Amino acid sequence: MATRDQNAPVSDPGAEPGVLVREGTYGTRVLEVEPGGAEFIPLNERHGKPLQLFWTWTSPNMEFATIFVGVLGVAGFGLGFWEAALALVLGSAIGGLTQGILSLRGPKYGVPQMVLSRFGFGYWGNILPAGLNSVTAGIGWFAVNSVSGALALNVLTHLPQVLCLIIIVAVQLVVAFFGYNLVHVFERYAFPILTIIFLIAAGVILSKAHPGAPHKTIPGAFLIELGASFGYAVGWNPYASDYTRYLKPDTSKKAIAWWTGAGLFLSCAVLEIVGAAVGTVVSPGNALAGPGGMTSLLATPLADLTLLAIALGAVSANVLNIYSGALSFTAIGIKLPLTARRAIVALGFGIIGFFLAWSGLHDAGTKYENFLLIIAYWIAPWLAVYFCDLLLRRNPHENLLFSARRENWAGPVAMLIGMGISIWLFSNQTEYIGVVPTHIGSAGDLTFEAGFLITAVVYLGWHAIARTGRETTLTT
């Protein structure tokens, strides 16, 4: 079992009163199951360098799910190439910026992102974002990326789609089960393979693009594509400190923010723009059908290598999804007495995600568009609470993160209000169209922008009225 700091070894300096310390020893061993769950990482276990964050956030985006965001903008929403490219760059830039900022607290506090979220939500109020992230990451994103990897492997090998899905899922679960060290090693060795193949394929596809191709744009397409691109990039935000919490507290903050943000932004923006280029050449039906539309533009040897890279990229993405989804579940506050609790939760999520992916092997395009927008619908309000609390509460103490009696109901209430009003008014997807886009189609989808602003106003207003929100340690 994890222990409170007073029971921790003397070699664990950094463990302040009231802090739950991860049990066991792990160090830098790669082929050993990482013990514990969402507890504080002792200082004697800290290792790694900021540079590793570049490939950790680049490799997972080297996959067809990223490319498909750009395909949607042109083939699905009817945007011109340059309009789509602008929306894609803006959405990716915002997501990369917030990712860099969120990663900074990992070394100092030594806990996952969904534990840091307790500053703004309180211990039990944090069940809302941690629960949402465990489902969207460990099951939702896992299923989405498993589908893209399985479809690529199917086109490459002509094996049955279900068998391809089983292969992809099995590899993902093995890496995620072992944990943090193997995840970083996997991303490191996948990085050069994926980068070389995708850069060559990107060059060929962009050389064949028709930026001036005629198009028929649906109302509000730019804002919908912006929301989809933002949703994709920001989908990694709830994982940010999961991959910096093992770094030493004195690690350069500039290096952490730079390598994190650059890796996420460059990989998303470049491959999404490649997807937009595919949409200018391939018919909408073929472009939206899966990886085959993209690889039809490539010579057979390069097409086969690209399909292999897409499958590898899907695995790279999902080892993060399943790992962080399991961490988020353990951050909810449910007491699991098993030393391998994170690893076991990861297996459970993987099994559920497999069946969800199986059901999504057909009609993936529409489901993916909706999923991207829904991600942005809840993450934007969560970010508003997190950043507003960061503004109010400077240098809070670690013990605020582990006390079950510590409340901050302004967080979950503001988030729910922000989500409810913004979705009701501004949502624009196939399952539900809000009041504003119903009457003004050109409004597109402003849900994440509105959700962020509404949540921020409610959260800051609550604490201004109650004269709270600046406490930095537990009161007795």
Side-chain angles (χ1 to χ4, degrees), residues 22-397:
R22 196 214 66 204
E23 72 271 39
T25 57
Y26 183 49
T28 59
R29 293 184 292 274
V30 175
L31 294 179
E32 181 170 321
V33 177
E34 178 189 5
E39 302 82 25
F40 173 84
I41 304 301
L43 296 188
N44 64 327
E45 291 275 287
R46 304 296 185 92
H47 60 276
K49 297 180 179 180
L51 178 60
Q52 70 192 39
L53 298 170
F54 184 71
W55 50 70
T56 296
W57 293 116
T58 299
S59 298
N61 297 307
M62 297 284 189
E63 55 156 343
F64 188 70
T66 315
I67 294 167
F68 199 69
V69 178
V71 171
L72 275 174
V74 176
F77 308 146
L79 285 170
F81 175 80
W82 296 113
E83 291 176 287
L86 178 58
L88 298 169
V89 168
L90 288 175
S92 299
I94 299 170
L97 177 63
T98 53
Q99 186 79 353
I101 296 172
L102 291 168
S103 298
L104 296 177
R105 276 180 160 180
K108 177 180 179 179
Y109 290 99
V111 294
Q113 192 65 54
M114 279 298 129
V115 173
L116 289 172
S117 180
R118 291 174 184 167
F119 281 133
F121 288 84
Y123 190 89
W124 296 113
N126 194 55
I127 290 176
L128 174 62
L132 283 170
N133 194 52
S134 64
V135 172
T136 55
I139 298 175
W141 269 121
F142 183 83
V144 166
N145 291 312
S146 294
V147 167
S148 68
L151 291 176
L153 196 59
N154 166 254
V155 175
L156 175 63
T157 64
H158 304 293
L159 292 171
Q161 288 184 349
V162 175
L163 179 57
C164 293
L165 181 62
I166 291 173
I167 294 171
I168 293 291
V169 169
V171 175
Q172 294 166 165
L173 286 183
V174 168
V175 178
F177 181 81
F178 277 93
Y180 183 90
N181 289 336
L182 184 55
V183 168
H184 276 297
V185 168
F186 184 88
E187 304 298 352
R188 177 181 180 180
Y189 285 100
F191 172 73
I193 300 171
L194 294 170
T195 301
I196 291 170
I197 295 174
F198 274 115
L199 283 179
I200 295 172
V204 173
I205 291 171
L206 289 171
S207 71
K208 295 182 178 181
H210 300 305
H215 54 90
K216 186 176 181 180
T217 307
I218 67 171
F222 181 86
L223 290 172
I224 298 175
E225 179 70 342
L226 175 62
S229 176
F230 171 75
Y232 185 89
V234 84
W236 297 114
N237 280 189
Y239 311 2
S241 73
D242 298 6
Y243 304 95
T244 61
R245 75 193 201 280
Y246 273 87
L247 297 176
K248 295 180 180 180
D250 59 355
T251 304
S252 168
K253 289 186 176 182
K254 287 184 179 179
I256 290 173
W258 167 253
W259 291 119
T260 297
L264 182 59
F265 168 71
L266 289 174
S267 55
C268 287
V270 171
L271 288 193
E272 287 169 4
I273 289 172
V274 170
V278 171
T280 67
V281 183
V282 180
S283 67
N286 289 333
L288 295 169
M294 170 189 172
T295 55
S296 67
L297 299 173
L298 307 172
T300 301
L302 181 56
D304 290 345
L305 283 173
T306 302
L307 288 169
L308 185 62
I310 289 172
L312 177 61
V315 175
S316 294
N318 269 349
V319 297
L320 299 192
N321 287 321
I322 197 72
Y323 178 80
S324 286
L327 280 181
S328 294
F329 184 81
T330 61
I332 289 175
I334 299 173
K335 304 299 182 184
L336 299 174
L338 303 172
T339 301
R341 53 192 170 275
R342 177 210 53 80
I344 293 171
V345 171
L347 285 180
F349 278 168
I351 293 170
I352 297 171
F354 166 77
F355 286 105
L356 182 61
W358 190 359
S359 70
L361 284 172
H362 304 287
D363 191 29
T366 299
K367 293 178 181 177
Y368 185 42
E369 172 197 337
N370 292 340
F371 181 69
L372 287 173
L373 292 173
I374 290 171
I375 288 286
Y377 292 174
W378 80 262
I379 292 183
W382 169 75
L383 281 174
V385 171
Y386 188 92
F387 284 131
C388 286
D389 191 79
L390 187 64
L391 178 67
L392 293 176
R393 201 186 311 275
R394 303 299 174 89
N395 198 31
H397 197 279

